[in-house]
Amino acid sequence: MKTMKLVDIAKTIRSKNAGTDRITFDIIFREKENYELVKESKIITKEFIANLFQICESRISDFVEFDPAYAIKFTILRLQPSGSPGEGDVFGCQQYPPLLDIEIPV
């Protein structure tokens, strides 16, 4: 079976602060067909994201497959508010490699 990396079929993979206590990730696909393939195969799920980022599934407050934008969106709760002294819960650009390396069967 042939595979492709998520980065090759996604138009955008980004994170953005959704307040000081959470960060939202968006995976927006280039084409509807690729979005539907990933959505139907259940490759990217709340459980998969928790394992990928090595966090408890309960820290994922939202997981949405957003059909109009061909997007999968999820929000991770931070352990401490962003910018707190001694903050060790750093998401964002440091976490892109796990998303970029996901292999999608096509």
Side-chain angles (χ1 to χ4, degrees):
M1 176 181 287
K2 181 181 170 190
T3 62
M4 293 184 71
K5 289 192 180 269
L6 180 62
V7 69
D8 295 329
I9 62 173
K11 175 171 57 174
T12 304
I13 301 173
R14 66 181 177 204
S15 66
K16 54 191 175 193
N17 282 322
T20 58
D21 63 341
R22 58 191 70 218
I23 188 163
T24 297
F25 289 79
D26 299 325
I27 303 168
I28 304 169
F29 292 85
R30 296 179 200 285
E31 300 170 4
K32 180 180 181 179
E33 294 77 24
N34 289 331
Y35 166 71
E36 292 292 339
L37 174 72
V38 173
K39 179 181 162 185
E40 296 301 319
S41 68
K42 300 291 183 195
I43 293 168
I44 301 176
T45 63
K46 196 173 183 179
E47 179 182 10
F48 177 82
I49 296 298
N51 288 330
L52 185 68
F53 286 94
Q54 300 179 358
I55 60 173
C56 296
E57 199 171 320
S58 63
R59 288 189 53 205
I60 302 172
S61 65
D62 299 296
F63 183 91
V64 177
E65 294 165 332
F66 188 62
D67 294 344
Y70 312 141
I72 296 174
K73 300 170 175 269
F74 58 94
T75 300
I76 296 176
L77 302 173
R78 294 181 185 271
L79 293 174
Q80 306 176 45
S82 178
S84 295
E87 176 186 11
D89 178 17
V90 181
F91 288 106
C93 63
Q94 294 89 338
Q95 293 298 316
Y96 282 109
L99 290 174
L100 300 179
D101 291 337
I102 295 173
E103 293 282 335
I104 307 294
V106 291

